[in-house]
Amino acid sequence: SQKIEQNSEALNIQEGKTATLTCNYTNYSPAYLQWYRQDPGRGPVFLLLIRENEKEKRKERLKVTFDTTLKQSLFHITASQPADSATYLCALITSGTYKYIFGTGTRLKVLA
Amino acid sequence: GAVVSQHPSWVICKSGTSVKIECRSLDFQATTMFWYRQFPKQSLMLMATSNEGSKATYEQGVEKDKFLINHASLTLSTLTVTSAHPEDSSFYICSARAQLNTEAFFGQGTRLTVV
């Protein structure tokens, strides 16, 4: 069956550390993958897009990797801050149909 | 990033009435708009995909006669929840995409409460 799973429902880390979130997928053929941040009661905010032929993308303190062999994307936030606390969603965009399939999300809490 | 505006941000309606939610792309032309539903602490569930000028494609299990989607222009799509019932209460979110292989941007979401 087709699945997108994010490693954990919740993740607590200490301020200043690097947060690493995982997104695994099975039985999908991705065109690209995106990461979003969602705060309670708000719509998701786009963070990064990585295509299936790209290995890594960076934007300020954010880094995303994409391994199509492992069928996995990792999302890193370096020098994490309490303001980074939110739910992070990965979205796989299928090749051909370009449909968005969302993971279940990981609630990140950065402790001061 | 690009801006997608969703209106209203919240609405309370009586059971049996219809509610319309608007989704506008403010600074780009959206060839495709998506409508999602999200339950508390759950991920986004795609309801339908609409391309400008054509009929929306609904996901399995989503009643097209209940959730009417119109995408009349490249900057506006509407979702109308017809004959709303309390079980339709949820957080509805739209997103818009300019091209097939580009990122989608989301609206702020609409909290619908049917009483």
Side-chain angles (χ1 to χ4, degrees):
Chain A
S1 62
Q2 295 176 313
K3 281 192 299 187
I4 296 183
E5 292 179 319
Q6 293 188 238
N7 59 324
S8 54
E9 193 175 314
L11 179 66
N12 291 346
I13 64 164
Q14 208 62 41
E15 183 177 9
K17 300 290 185 185
T18 296
T20 298
L21 285 63
T22 305
C23 179
N24 294 296
Y25 61 93
T26 53
N27 295 325
Y28 280 113
S29 180
Y32 55 99
L33 193 142
Q34 296 180 207
W35 284 87
Y36 289 86
R37 169 185 174 140
Q38 188 176 25
D39 291 286
R42 307 299 299 270
V45 174
F46 169 73
L47 296 175
L48 281 169
L49 179 155
I50 188 163
R51 302 190 187 281
E52 55 90 22
N53 60 348
E54 296 175 319
K55 297 290 184 190
E56 182 180 297
K57 273 277 186 73
R58 289 175 186 261
K59 179 181 173 183
E60 297 172 354
R61 293 186 296 111
L62 309 179
K63 184 178 86 170
V64 63
T65 63
F66 196 9
D67 189 327
T68 53
T69 302
L70 290 178
K71 298 187 188 298
Q72 180 182 80
S73 176
L74 298 178
F75 178 76
H76 307 272
I77 306 175
T78 57
S80 59
Q81 305 164 0
D84 295 326
S85 299
T87 295
Y88 291 85
L89 300 165
C90 72
L92 183 147
I93 291 78
T94 60
S95 60
T97 58
Y98 290 91
K99 186 182 286 191
Y100 278 66
I101 312 295
F102 278 87
T104 46
T106 296
R107 280 198 314 279
L108 173 68
K109 188 169 184 179
V110 180
L111 305 168
Chain B
V3 179
V4 175
S5 177
Q6 193 172 333
H7 178 81
S9 55
W10 60 270
V11 58
I12 301 173
C13 71
K14 288 187 176 179
S15 193
T17 61
S18 294
V19 173
K20 181 186 281 189
I21 303 170
E22 290 188 349
C23 180
R24 293 180 185 272
S25 56
L26 297 186
D27 52 1
F28 68 100
Q29 293 188 323
T31 55
T32 306
M33 287 189 172
F34 304 90
W35 286 95
Y36 297 85
R37 186 171 178 175
Q38 187 176 34
F39 293 101
K41 296 190 178 180
Q42 292 189 26
S43 192
L44 284 74
M45 183 187 78
L46 179 65
M47 298 174 67
T49 302
S50 76
N51 293 296
E52 184 264 340
S54 59
K55 286 184 180 179
T57 302
Y58 289 81
E59 294 300 300
Q60 194 172 10
V62 178
E63 297 176 60
K64 62 181 180 182
D65 294 330
K66 179 161 187 65
F67 298 100
L68 299 178
I69 291 171
N70 184 280
H71 190 168
S73 77
L74 283 171
T75 59
L76 174 64
S77 176
T78 59
L79 167 69
T80 302
V81 183
T82 62
S83 187
H85 292 285
E87 56 266 31
D88 298 325
S89 299
S90 190
F91 193 53
Y92 292 88
I93 312 175
C94 72
S95 72
R97 181 175 69 190
Q99 306 287 345
L100 267 181
N101 62 348
T102 59
E103 56 269 43
F105 296 94
F106 282 80
Q108 311 95 311
T110 298
R111 171 73 56 196
L112 169 65
T113 303
V114 185
V115 297

